[in-house]
Amino acid sequence: MAEIIDGKAIAMARREIAAKRAAEFAARYGRPPGLAVVLVGDDPASAVYVKNKKRACADAGIASLEILLDASTTQEELVSHIERLNEEDGVDGILVQLPLPAHLDSRDVLLAIDPAKDVDGFHPYNLGGLLAGEPSIVPCTPAGIMRLLEEYGVSPSGKDAVVLGRSTIVGKPMALLLMMGNATVTICHSKTRDLPAKAASADILVAAVGRPEFVRGSWIKPGAVVIDVGINRTPDGLKGDVHFQEALERASLITPVPGGVGPMTVAMLLENTVEAAYRRIGRSPGL
Ligand code: NDP
C-alpha cells in the first residue's frame, strides 16, 4: 500500500517560508512584493483559481492587484494593460490567467510580459533558460512537483522517469527538471505507442494528460512514485489522471487529487513572486 504524499502540508510550509521572505522584503525595502493577476472573461474555473491566488497572496503578505477585463477585450487592450504593469514598480509578478477567450492569442500575450515579472515561467525567455540548464523562473506546477519529491526523499538521479503529457506548462518543463535531476526521462503524448508499457517502465511516473483515471493500476511498476497532476471535473467529483484506488496497491508513494500537486502550484507562485521581487532589485532572499 502506497504512502500518500501530503501536498497540502508541504505547501503550507512553503507558504510560510514565502511569507517570512515577503515580510523581510517589506521591512527592508518599504513595500511588499506585488503580484498582478489578469483575468479576461468570466470562465468560472478561472475565477476560482484567481480568487485562491488572491487569498494566498494576502496570507503571505504579498500585495495583489486584480485586473478584471471584459470577455470582449481586444488583443491590443490586453497587451497595453500588460505593458503598463511591466512599468509599475510595485508589481514584481504578472500572471495572465489561462485559458484566454478564443479571439485572443495567448502566445503574443505571454510574449508581452517582462520576463523578469513572468512568475508563471511561461515566457520563452524563461523556458529557454530551463532548456539551457540555467533556470531563473520555473513554471509553478513542475517546480512544486520537484519540491514534493525532495521533501519525500525521492532523488530522481539514475531513475527512469516517465512523463505523460508534453504541454508547455507541465509536461515539457517537468521532463527538463527531472533530466536536470539526472533521471532518464521518457515523454509520452497522444501519439505514443503502447503507453501502458512505457508507463510500466517508470520509477517516477508523472501523469499530466487531462483525462480522469486514465492511468490504471496495472500500468504502474510495483514500488513506483506516482505524481498525479490531473484536475478533472466529473459527475463523481474531482478526479486525477490516475486511478487512485488501483494505483495505491502498486505505488510506494502517490499524490492524491485534490491535496497533492494542486496546493504546491499556488505555493510556488508565491515563492516565484517573492524571488522575482528580490531579483528585480539585484538581491536574493536571505532565508
Ligand atoms: P494539455 O491539454 O495542454 O496537455 C495534455 C497532454 O496530454 C498533451 O501533451 C497530450 O498529447 C497528452 N494526451 C492527451 N490525451 C492523451 C492520450 N490519450 N494518451 C497520451 N497522451 C495524451 O494539458 P495540461 O498539461 O495543461 O494539463 C494536464 C492536466 O493537468 C489537466 O488535467 C490540468 O487540469 C491539470 N493541471 C493541473 C495543475 C495543478 O496545479 N495541479 C496545473 C496545470 C494543469 P498531445 O500533445 O499529443 O496532444
Side-chain angles (χ1 to χ4, degrees):
M1 193 75 145
E3 182 185 352
I4 297 173
I5 292 177
D6 191 345
K8 259 194 207 165
I10 293 175
M12 279 319 295
R14 297 309 308 180
R15 284 168 65 157
E16 276 167 26
I17 293 173
K20 270 191 200 147
R21 290 173 177 168
E24 194 185 75
F25 182 93
R28 281 201 190 152
Y29 307 113
R31 67 164 184 90
L35 174 68
V37 182
V38 181
L39 176 61
V40 187
D42 45 20
D43 177 62
S46 292
V48 171
Y49 290 139
V50 167
K51 203 178 86 193
N52 289 345
K53 287 168 186 173
K54 237 180 95 181
R55 195 184 307 135
C57 280
D59 289 349
I62 292 172
S64 70
L65 176 65
E66 202 178 357
I67 317 283
L68 299 176
L69 301 174
D70 198 80
S72 63
T73 302
T74 65
Q75 184 87 12
E76 291 70 29
E77 285 166 340
L78 178 53
V79 167
S80 85
H81 276 286
I82 291 170
E83 285 169 346
R84 184 174 53 77
L85 294 169
N86 284 343
E87 296 306 318
E88 241 176 73
D89 214 32
V91 171
D92 300 293
I94 303 170
L95 179 158
V96 177
Q97 186 65 44
L98 300 175
L100 289 170
H103 67 282
L104 296 172
D105 180 347
S106 59
R107 186 182 160 274
D108 276 1
V109 170
L110 292 178
L111 276 175
I113 299 174
D114 176 350
K117 295 190 176 188
D118 166 43
V119 283
D120 258 340
F122 298 160
H123 190 288
Y125 178 89
N126 287 317
L127 290 169
L130 191 57
L131 187 64
E134 296 157 14
S136 54
I137 303 180
V138 176
C140 301
T141 302
I145 292 169
M146 293 305 284
R147 178 69 67 183
L148 284 180
L149 294 176
E150 192 183 322
E151 295 284 342
Y152 276 79
V154 179
S155 164
S157 186
K159 304 257 169 54
D160 289 323
V162 175
V163 180
L164 307 182
R166 57 173 165 182
S167 72
T168 305
I169 63 173
V170 188
K172 275 191 254 185
M174 184 76 252
L176 288 168
L177 289 172
L178 287 164
M179 186 171 64
M180 279 171 66
N182 294 320
T184 303
V185 184
T186 304
I187 307 173
C188 300
H189 46 77
S190 64
K191 304 290 184 289
T192 298
R193 272 187 279 167
D194 201 359
L195 208 62
K198 303 268 188 320
S201 71
D203 301 310
I204 300 172
L205 179 65
V206 180
V209 172
R211 291 172 183 261
E213 300 184 326
F214 180 70
V215 176
R216 308 307 303 231
S218 59
W219 300 17
I220 294 167
K221 180 173 173 174
V225 175
V226 177
I227 305 290
D228 190 350
V229 184
I231 300 178
N232 305 291
R233 281 160 229 283
T234 77
D236 299 330
L238 214 58
K239 299 277 180 202
D241 285 349
V242 177
H243 194 297
F244 186 72
Q245 287 308 326
E246 289 180 9
L248 264 183
E249 303 297 323
R250 307 268 289 203
S252 60
L253 272 173
I254 185 167
T255 57
V257 176
V261 174
M264 290 304 289
T265 299
V266 178
M268 298 319 283
L269 173 67
L270 302 180
E271 286 197 20
N272 279 355
T273 302
V274 176
E275 264 177 45
Y278 276 100
R279 211 177 287 129
R280 284 184 62 237
I281 57 165
R283 305 286 163 88
S284 61
L287 284 169

